[in-house]
Amino acid sequence: MNADAIEPRYRLLAENSPAAVMRYDPQLRLTYANPQAQEIAGIRVADLRDKTNREAGIPEHLCVLWDEAIQEVFRAGQPTELDFEVAGENTGRTFRFKLVPEIGPAAVVNHVLGIATETTATRENLRLRTELNDRVTGHDLCGRRSHA
């Protein structure tokens, strides 16, 4: 099957993914962003494409965090992941951002694929579980006494 026949299938998967999917070129420009990326960035997908994170208006602290990680994937050719928080209406939302290299025919990283999934509920559940354990046992999850 040729690349033209495969491309629409992958695009359909990415467009309907519950995760944000982004693809970066070596100049750190977004060559692709699915609709869920708009939700995280707060910027229309059309305004994200073919721009760096800074050019698109992503907050500076996220630009620094993301760009350093993306550059490392280009340099090392190894996947990485990081966590970040985005301010929401009432509270911050947390995400896990997995970055993987797309290796081209010359065994060189041509693009970096980023997949961001929301982890807010998981983190909140862990916080509540830790708090409950501390109240019930008088010890934190590491066994340290928490009450005098």
Side-chain angles (χ1 to χ4, degrees):
M1 192 176 287
N2 67 30
D4 291 333
I6 294 172
E7 173 72 21
R9 290 182 186 176
Y10 287 124
R11 184 172 297 276
L12 183 63
L13 286 172
E15 297 287 320
N16 291 292
S17 170
V21 178
M22 293 152 281
R23 187 174 188 238
Y24 294 90
D25 70 13
Q27 290 74 43
L28 304 182
R29 291 181 303 232
L30 271 161
T31 60
Y32 173 79
N34 74 347
Q36 290 70 16
Q38 176 176 317
E39 181 182 341
I40 293 173
I43 300 168
R44 293 179 334 124
V45 170
D47 295 332
L48 291 171
R49 290 195 183 126
D50 299 320
K51 294 180 182 171
T52 66
N53 291 318
R54 277 185 184 79
E55 291 169 346
I58 301 295
E60 182 62 22
H61 71 284
L62 292 177
C63 289
V64 170
L65 183 67
W66 295 354
D67 290 355
E68 286 177 3
I70 294 164
Q71 288 170 337
E72 182 58 28
V73 174
F74 274 110
R75 274 192 298 276
Q78 296 294 316
T80 192
E81 52 187 63
L82 55 111
D83 297 311
F84 66 91
E85 187 170 325
V86 174
E89 290 180 24
N90 300 319
T91 184
R93 296 170 58 202
T94 57
F95 294 85
R96 167 74 39 100
F97 197 20
K98 296 182 181 184
L99 298 163
V100 296
E102 287 184 21
I103 309 292
V108 173
V109 179
N110 289 336
H111 291 88
V112 170
L113 181 67
I115 301 170
T117 54
E118 187 166 1
T119 59
T120 307
T122 302
R123 285 181 177 259
E124 180 62 12
N125 287 338
L126 179 58
R127 187 191 67 75
L128 291 172
R129 188 174 342 142
T130 300
E131 185 178 298
L132 179 60
N133 182 72
D134 185 38
R135 287 184 182 169
V136 170
T137 68
H139 293 80
D140 66 16
L141 290 177
C142 296
R144 295 180 295 244
R145 185 121 180 98
S146 59
H147 301 291

